[in-house]
Amino acid sequence: MIKKKFYIENYGCQMNISDNEIVSSILDNKGFIKTENLKEANIILINTCSIREKSEKKILLRINQIKFIIKKNNILIGILGCMASKFKKIKEHLVVGPDSYREIPNLINNFFKKKGEYISTSFSKTETYADIIPKREEKKITAFVTIIRGCDNMCTFCVVPFTRGREKSRDPYSIIKECKFLFKKGYKEIILLGQNVDSYLWYGGGLKKNLKRKEIKNEEIINFSKLLELVAISVPLMRIRFWTSNPNDMSDNVLNVIKKYINICKHIHLPVQSGSNRILSLMNRKHTYVDYIFLIKKIKNIIPNCSLSCDIITGFCNENQNNHNETLHLMNYVKYNFSYMFLYSHRIGTYAYKKLIDNVSLSTKKRRLTEIINLQKTHSYYRKIKSIDSIQDILIEGISTKNINFFYGRNSGNDIVIFPKKNSKIGYFIKVKITNCTSATLVGNILL
Ligand code: SAH
Ligand code: F3S
């Protein structure tokens, strides 16, 4: 029998990249062959994101574009991930939500045999894909390892709890096993992923039964700080990052673990969303301006050189000029190394969509966003310029796109650094003296 080929495309966050690797592994194990060529595929899978209107629109355009390119019959288009629930009623597609990836091979067979269903969007209370070794891309530098799926926080603007379901922490043993496996495979860096890594929690009851689980045999409960420490100890020669933290759940223990282990990068992504207490409360964020600043002070106290980044939404329901100024004020206080800044878009199904009015005009949203972006640029530059003349540990990730005689890599704080190649190689850890910068990039020279 000729094996069927699948092509898989990704939209959205790092978690979707990680999910695609899980889906690829599931299909690979069932004899499907991955292809990078859309036109030779029998199955085209698109992993979707519905966090913002803009991402959804882009995906809908792409689906139409694919339909236009692929004029052949008997090609299956599959919608995976967050937008699956939107496509539930469109019978021509395979539609699979984030908790149903294991069903994909059967659903594909149903499609080609023209029998049964090929839609599955229900949520599971337990599915974490813990036993599946993701099929990763060949570039063996950084690997994403998902540690917790879903989110329980119910920020009023956010669709994630509805598209990805409730929080589910993954068995720590499977996480550590995977990290060790990645080290053996030659990977250099691990990024532990979750919508809110700080709420990772594993009750160890079941673990005691398995005596092989040496590293965690005496632990009753594994929280994020313990997990982070276990990972740092298990793969001491790898860099560890984690993404995303939540200001309400980040514990002092996590900060102390980051400080203690040199292989844990000194960078925290800590979304604030707004600097206004009024807006934070409308957003159902559990932190106030003062709580957030207090946490920032604590971080800087425990890890003085810690780099900080965040997510900010501009133009949320009822946001007035004063509230916007409060966000600028907070940014001026923290001076983030970098930020992801978004224009608010109403998402169907969220509390804000049901109960609040999207009443900030598009032109105001855009103006405020421009102000935020411009301010962030000055802060990024301020942070970067401060590192001129310092010597930094860099992991080389690839060849610079602007100049083939240069490599690019990252420092512990997650800044991109470019430097002449000299006698180094992709995947090496090296020391670079920083000599120059822009607001986006550091420039330097390798110290031999
Ligand atoms: N904790 C998650 C957050 C997921 S959503 C994480 O791991 O990143 C990522 C960011 O998208 C949020 O922090 C928020 O800033 C932004 N966002 C979410 N919903 C949005 C909406 N309706 N409009 C605009 N931005 C939104
Ligand atoms: Fe979304 Fe808030 Fe969770 S932004 S992912 S509901 S922490």
Side-chain angles (χ1 to χ4, degrees), residues 189-251:
E189 181 178 66
I190 281 169
I191 306 185
L192 302 174
L193 287 184
Q195 302 291 346
N196 176 3
V197 288
D198 297 294
S199 63
Y200 178 89
L201 199 59
W202 177 266
Y203 295 91
L207 296 175
K208 283 187 191 156
K209 289 182 216 146
N210 190 336
L211 295 176
K212 279 189 205 143
R213 301 180 176 193
K214 277 188 209 130
E215 290 100 331
I216 41 186
K217 69 179 173 195
N218 293 322
E219 303 289 356
E220 275 290 88
I221 292 174
I222 311 278
N223 59 15
F224 182 57
S225 67
K226 283 184 186 162
L227 178 77
L228 191 59
E229 183 158 30
L230 285 165
V231 172
I233 294 169
S234 310
V235 284
L237 299 177
M238 292 182 93
R239 262 191 177 179
I240 319 294
R241 297 186 187 278
F242 53 91
W243 199 280
T244 299
S245 298
N246 187 293
N248 190 48
D249 299 310
M250 181 149 225
S251 71

XYZ file of all heavy atoms in Angstrom, residues 189-251:
516
model
N 19.561 23.480 24.266
C 18.697 24.364 25.061
C 17.278 23.805 25.110
O 16.779 23.304 24.104
C 18.673 25.746 24.398
C 17.841 26.767 25.111
C 17.900 28.130 24.425
O 17.401 28.253 23.278
O 18.434 29.064 25.025
N 16.673 23.927 26.293
C 15.292 23.469 26.456
C 14.425 24.651 26.873
O 14.818 25.427 27.749
C 15.237 22.369 27.534
C 15.696 21.050 26.903
C 13.853 22.215 28.134
C 15.927 19.962 27.884
N 13.280 24.788 26.241
C 12.324 25.807 26.685
C 11.100 25.085 27.238
O 10.385 24.395 26.493
C 11.923 26.775 25.554
C 13.181 27.402 24.926
C 10.981 27.859 26.081
C 12.913 28.463 23.871
N 10.893 25.203 28.540
C 9.731 24.575 29.174
C 8.521 25.460 28.889
O 8.556 26.667 29.153
C 9.954 24.452 30.681
C 11.204 23.663 31.104
C 11.400 23.735 32.617
C 11.118 22.208 30.657
N 7.481 24.848 28.353
C 6.353 25.655 27.874
C 5.057 25.418 28.635
O 4.762 24.292 29.040
C 6.040 25.310 26.421
C 6.961 25.776 25.313
C 6.358 25.370 23.978
C 7.175 27.272 25.360
N 4.303 26.492 28.784
C 2.951 26.398 29.328
C 2.311 27.766 29.259
O 3.019 28.771 29.224
N 0.985 27.810 29.241
C 0.312 29.118 29.274
C 0.638 29.834 30.573
O 0.701 31.050 30.626
C -1.211 28.949 29.173
C -1.698 28.224 27.955
C -1.493 29.011 26.683
O -1.215 30.199 26.736
N -1.613 28.362 25.547
N 0.826 29.049 31.625
C 1.172 29.612 32.933
C 2.037 28.575 33.646
O 1.534 27.749 34.398
C -0.126 29.911 33.692
C 0.144 30.397 35.100
O 1.290 30.575 35.508
N -0.908 30.598 35.855
N 3.341 28.620 33.401
C 4.221 27.568 33.948
C 4.222 27.587 35.482
O 4.409 26.557 36.123
C 5.680 27.665 33.432
C 5.791 27.255 31.985
C 6.283 29.038 33.679
N 3.985 28.764 36.067
C 4.047 28.864 37.535
C 2.953 28.061 38.233
O 3.061 27.787 39.419
C 3.938 30.336 37.967
C 5.111 31.126 37.451
O 6.226 30.862 37.899
O 4.916 31.983 36.567
N 1.895 27.719 37.522
C 0.868 26.940 38.209
C 1.046 25.439 37.968
O 0.156 24.648 38.294
C -0.541 27.421 37.845
O -0.765 27.228 36.489
N 2.212 25.053 37.445
C 2.515 23.623 37.294
C 2.395 22.940 38.651
O 2.955 23.411 39.640
C 3.942 23.441 36.746
C 4.316 21.980 36.625
C 4.053 21.264 35.468
C 4.892 21.304 37.703
C 4.357 19.914 35.376
C 5.200 19.959 37.621
C 4.933 19.272 36.454
O 5.228 17.939 36.381
N 1.686 21.838 38.712
C 1.527 21.122 39.974
C 1.257 19.657 39.707
O 0.332 19.321 38.972
C 0.351 21.730 40.754
C 0.304 21.446 42.243
C 1.543 21.944 42.960
C -0.928 22.103 42.842
N 2.096 18.823 40.308
C 1.921 17.374 40.118
C 1.857 16.705 41.473
O 2.758 16.860 42.292
C 3.101 16.826 39.295
C 3.025 15.340 39.113
C 3.616 14.393 39.890
C 2.295 14.623 38.106
N 3.306 13.137 39.436
C 2.499 13.254 38.346
C 1.486 15.019 37.032
C 1.922 12.270 37.538
C 0.923 14.030 36.235
C 1.145 12.683 36.486
N 0.789 15.988 41.690
C 0.668 15.252 42.956
C 1.377 13.927 42.776
O 1.018 13.143 41.899
C -0.806 15.045 43.304
C -1.495 16.352 43.566
C -2.128 17.050 42.535
C -1.446 16.923 44.827
C -2.725 18.270 42.769
C -2.046 18.150 45.067
C -2.681 18.814 44.041
O -3.258 20.023 44.272
N 2.359 13.679 43.637
C 3.256 12.544 43.408
C 2.750 11.187 43.791
O 3.478 10.216 43.633
N 1.531 11.054 44.313
C 1.033 9.762 44.772
C 1.436 8.599 43.888
O 2.089 7.659 44.337
N 1.089 8.703 42.635
C 1.340 7.619 41.703
C 2.818 7.368 41.476
O 3.226 6.261 41.120
N 3.637 8.351 41.732
C 5.053 8.218 41.421
C 5.761 7.222 42.322
O 6.693 6.563 41.918
C 5.764 9.574 41.574
C 5.319 10.665 40.635
C 6.017 11.950 40.981
C 5.656 10.266 39.211
N 5.298 7.144 43.559
C 6.000 6.306 44.540
C 6.061 4.853 44.096
O 6.973 4.138 44.437
C 5.284 6.397 45.880
C 5.563 7.680 46.608
C 4.949 7.570 47.973
C 4.962 8.926 48.642
N 3.932 9.006 49.649
N 5.060 4.437 43.351
C 4.992 3.040 42.921
C 6.169 2.679 42.031
O 6.580 1.546 41.971
C 3.698 2.812 42.138
C 2.468 2.837 42.998
C 1.257 2.544 42.109
C 0.076 3.376 42.586
N -0.774 3.784 41.487
N 6.717 3.666 41.353
C 7.758 3.356 40.392
C 9.143 3.690 40.950
O 9.562 4.824 41.005
C 7.508 4.151 39.105
C 8.410 3.676 37.996
O 9.465 3.118 38.264
N 8.012 3.895 36.775
N 9.843 2.655 41.360
C 11.123 2.874 42.035
C 12.198 3.412 41.110
O 13.186 3.949 41.563
C 11.595 1.582 42.695
C 10.686 1.099 43.820
C 11.167 -0.245 44.364
C 10.616 2.112 44.947
N 11.980 3.270 39.815
C 12.989 3.762 38.877
C 13.006 5.289 38.838
O 13.928 5.906 38.369
C 12.695 3.244 37.479
C 13.175 1.836 37.268
C 13.039 1.496 35.796
C 12.904 0.007 35.623
N 11.976 -0.324 34.560
N 11.954 5.871 39.346
C 11.850 7.329 39.250
C 12.677 7.982 40.349
O 12.169 8.675 41.217
C 10.387 7.730 39.336
C 9.621 7.073 38.222
C 8.170 7.442 38.270
N 7.523 6.848 37.106
C 6.318 7.165 36.699
N 5.635 8.065 37.322
N 5.813 6.583 35.632
N 13.994 7.732 40.263
C 14.909 8.116 41.340
C 14.832 9.591 41.713
O 14.683 9.941 42.875
C 16.350 7.833 40.878
C 16.767 6.409 41.060
C 18.262 6.296 40.760
C 18.569 4.908 40.238
N 19.330 4.902 39.016
N 14.928 10.442 40.710
C 15.081 11.868 41.001
C 13.961 12.435 41.856
O 14.149 13.407 42.555
C 15.125 12.678 39.690
C 16.362 12.460 38.896
C 16.119 11.474 37.765
O 15.257 10.588 37.889
O 16.806 11.597 36.769
N 12.786 11.827 41.787
C 11.664 12.456 42.471
C 11.007 11.524 43.477
O 9.901 11.762 43.909
C 10.636 12.963 41.436
C 10.452 11.973 40.319
C 11.023 14.297 40.892
C 9.576 12.464 39.218
N 11.742 10.518 43.931
C 11.053 9.492 44.732
C 10.532 10.018 46.075
O 9.561 9.524 46.598
C 11.929 8.266 44.911
C 13.125 8.459 45.788
C 13.895 7.161 45.909
C 15.183 7.448 46.655
N 16.143 6.407 46.541
N 11.185 11.023 46.651
C 10.733 11.482 47.965
C 9.804 12.681 47.900
O 9.420 13.235 48.921
C 11.944 11.833 48.831
C 12.727 10.581 49.133
O 12.137 9.532 49.353
N 14.038 10.683 49.094
N 9.467 13.080 46.722
C 8.647 14.284 46.617
C 7.161 13.919 46.624
O 6.722 13.058 45.881
C 8.961 15.027 45.316
C 10.406 15.404 45.185
C 10.815 16.522 46.132
O 9.939 17.060 46.837
O 11.988 16.839 46.153
N 6.420 14.575 47.466
C 4.980 14.355 47.484
C 4.314 15.158 46.369
O 3.539 14.667 45.595
C 4.399 14.814 48.826
C 4.491 13.770 49.894
C 3.529 12.616 49.619
O 3.902 11.661 48.914
O 2.400 12.686 50.110
N 4.692 16.424 46.323
C 4.093 17.312 45.339
C 5.215 18.016 44.588
O 6.156 18.496 45.206
C 3.214 18.366 46.031
C 1.977 17.693 46.642
C 2.783 19.469 45.072
C 1.130 18.612 47.469
N 5.114 18.043 43.283
C 6.117 18.776 42.505
C 5.452 20.052 41.989
O 4.474 19.974 41.243
C 6.600 17.949 41.283
C 6.988 16.530 41.673
C 7.728 18.665 40.540
C 8.343 16.350 42.222
N 5.976 21.175 42.417
C 5.474 22.437 41.863
C 6.488 22.955 40.841
O 7.483 22.283 40.554
C 5.187 23.455 42.972
C 6.428 23.755 43.782
O 7.540 23.436 43.359
N 6.251 24.346 44.935
N 6.280 24.157 40.319
C 7.158 24.599 39.233
C 8.601 24.788 39.694
O 9.533 24.430 38.973
C 6.631 25.871 38.570
C 7.503 26.295 37.417
C 7.757 25.427 36.360
C 8.107 27.540 37.403
C 8.581 25.789 35.307
C 8.939 27.917 36.345
C 9.175 27.036 35.301
N 8.792 25.319 40.904
C 10.179 25.545 41.339
C 10.921 24.208 41.461
O 12.089 24.095 41.086
C 10.234 26.340 42.642
O 9.707 25.589 43.689
N 10.216 23.191 41.961
C 10.861 21.875 42.093
C 11.147 21.281 40.719
O 12.206 20.705 40.479
C 9.982 20.917 42.899
C 10.043 21.186 44.391
C 9.253 20.158 45.151
C 9.211 20.541 46.633
N 8.131 19.853 47.339
N 10.196 21.420 39.833
C 10.391 20.873 38.490
C 11.578 21.550 37.808
O 12.440 20.888 37.214
C 9.129 21.068 37.642
C 9.281 20.553 36.213
C 9.179 19.034 36.160
C 8.241 21.161 35.282
N 11.627 22.871 37.925
C 12.699 23.632 37.281
C 14.058 23.173 37.817
O 15.022 22.976 37.063
C 12.473 25.124 37.575
C 13.300 26.134 36.812
C 13.082 25.992 35.310
C 12.923 27.567 37.235
N 14.106 22.969 39.120
C 15.349 22.518 39.746
C 15.719 21.116 39.255
O 16.873 20.855 38.915
C 15.175 22.534 41.270
C 16.437 22.147 42.005
C 16.449 22.664 43.440
O 15.359 22.793 44.031
O 17.551 22.922 43.949
N 14.726 20.225 39.192
C 14.985 18.863 38.721
C 15.522 18.869 37.291
O 16.452 18.143 36.962
C 13.692 18.035 38.760
C 13.229 17.586 40.135
C 11.798 17.101 40.088
C 14.147 16.502 40.674
N 14.936 19.715 36.470
C 15.389 19.784 35.073
C 16.817 20.331 35.035
O 17.686 19.784 34.349
C 14.430 20.647 34.211
C 14.999 20.872 32.824
C 13.061 19.991 34.107
N 17.068 21.410 35.800
C 18.407 22.025 35.789
C 19.470 21.012 36.226
O 20.567 20.956 35.661
C 18.422 23.243 36.699
N 19.130 20.182 37.218
C 20.090 19.182 37.712
C 20.247 18.030 36.710
O 21.343 17.526 36.496
C 19.629 18.623 39.088
C 19.677 19.736 40.133
C 20.481 17.442 39.531
C 19.008 19.366 41.453
N 19.150 17.646 36.086
C 19.186 16.473 35.179
C 19.997 16.738 33.927
O 20.597 15.828 33.374
C 17.785 16.080 34.730
O 16.942 15.979 35.798
N 19.983 17.986 33.436
C 20.731 18.285 32.202
C 21.617 19.521 32.459
O 21.378 20.590 31.908
C 19.788 18.482 30.987
C 19.260 17.162 30.487
C 18.619 19.405 31.311
N 22.667 19.334 33.280
C 23.449 20.509 33.720
C 24.181 21.219 32.594
O 24.542 22.382 32.750
C 24.451 19.906 34.717
C 24.471 18.450 34.437
C 23.147 18.081 33.878
N 24.371 20.535 31.460
C 25.104 21.182 30.376
C 24.171 21.829 29.347
O 24.611 22.320 28.313
C 26.031 20.182 29.682
C 27.098 19.591 30.617
C 27.942 18.561 29.883
C 27.984 20.691 31.199
N 22.881 21.786 29.640
C 21.941 22.440 28.713
C 21.447 23.747 29.321
O 21.379 23.892 30.532
C 20.727 21.539 28.454
C 21.051 20.312 27.678
S 19.559 19.363 27.380
C 19.051 19.986 25.780
N 21.087 24.664 28.426
C 20.439 25.897 28.877
C 18.963 25.631 29.107
O 18.334 24.935 28.313
C 20.511 26.928 27.754
C 21.607 27.884 27.921
C 21.426 29.010 26.929
N 22.473 29.966 27.179
C 22.641 31.063 26.484
N 21.821 31.342 25.486
N 23.619 31.881 26.762
N 18.419 26.216 30.150
C 16.979 26.041 30.411
C 16.299 27.405 30.373
O 16.746 28.351 31.025
C 16.709 25.453 31.829
C 17.696 24.341 32.208
C 15.260 25.021 31.978
C 17.595 23.110 31.379
N 15.225 27.479 29.596
C 14.346 28.656 29.628
C 12.934 28.174 29.934
O 12.645 26.969 29.800
C 14.328 29.358 28.271
C 15.658 29.924 27.832
C 15.498 30.736 26.546
N 16.784 31.129 26.037
C 17.482 32.179 26.463
N 16.987 32.953 27.401
N 18.658 32.464 25.951
N 12.063 29.076 30.266
C 10.667 28.693 30.510
C 9.790 29.859 30.091
O 10.205 31.013 30.109
C 10.443 28.337 31.987
C 10.908 29.401 32.914
C 10.062 30.404 33.329
C 12.219 29.417 33.354
C 10.505 31.409 34.152
C 12.679 30.430 34.182
C 11.828 31.430 34.580
N 8.551 29.547 29.736
C 7.706 30.532 29.080
C 6.283 30.074 29.151
O 6.038 28.965 28.714
C 8.148 30.575 27.597
C 7.775 31.752 26.808
C 6.568 31.981 26.245
C 8.630 32.851 26.446
N 6.617 33.143 25.550
C 7.853 33.699 25.653
C 9.961 33.201 26.714
C 8.366 34.880 25.122
C 10.460 34.347 26.179
C 9.671 35.187 25.388
N 5.337 30.697 29.781
C 5.217 32.037 30.259
C 4.982 32.040 31.759
O 4.288 31.166 32.272
C 3.992 32.693 29.596
O 4.178 32.713 28.199
C 3.762 34.079 30.062
N 5.458 33.076 32.450
C 5.193 33.193 33.877
C 3.962 34.064 34.090
O 3.599 34.854 33.232
C 6.387 33.828 34.578
O 7.507 33.003 34.411
N 3.370 33.896 35.266
C 2.201 34.708 35.594
C 2.473 35.464 36.903
O 2.833 34.852 37.901
C 0.984 33.796 35.745
C -0.276 34.600 35.912
O -0.466 35.285 36.908
N -1.141 34.547 34.914
N 2.288 36.797 36.891
C 2.644 37.599 38.064
C 1.938 37.157 39.338
O 2.450 37.334 40.431
C 2.207 39.014 37.688
C 1.762 38.988 36.284
C 1.740 37.582 35.783
N 0.769 36.568 39.182
C 0.026 36.169 40.370
C 0.538 34.868 40.979
O 0.357 34.614 42.161
C -1.453 36.017 40.004
C -2.314 35.835 41.223
O -2.171 36.587 42.182
N -3.154 34.837 41.205
N 1.191 34.055 40.179
C 1.564 32.714 40.639
C 3.057 32.505 40.829
O 3.484 31.431 41.240
C 1.061 31.663 39.622
C -0.446 31.709 39.490
O -1.101 31.689 40.521
O -0.944 31.799 38.349
N 3.862 33.505 40.469
C 5.316 33.300 40.526
C 5.791 33.320 41.992
O 5.582 34.293 42.702
C 5.983 34.419 39.738
C 7.463 34.300 39.713
S 8.059 34.974 38.177
C 9.201 33.710 37.747
N 6.424 32.228 42.418
C 6.825 32.141 43.828
C 8.278 32.564 44.031
O 9.079 32.559 43.101
C 6.644 30.702 44.322
O 7.623 29.883 43.728
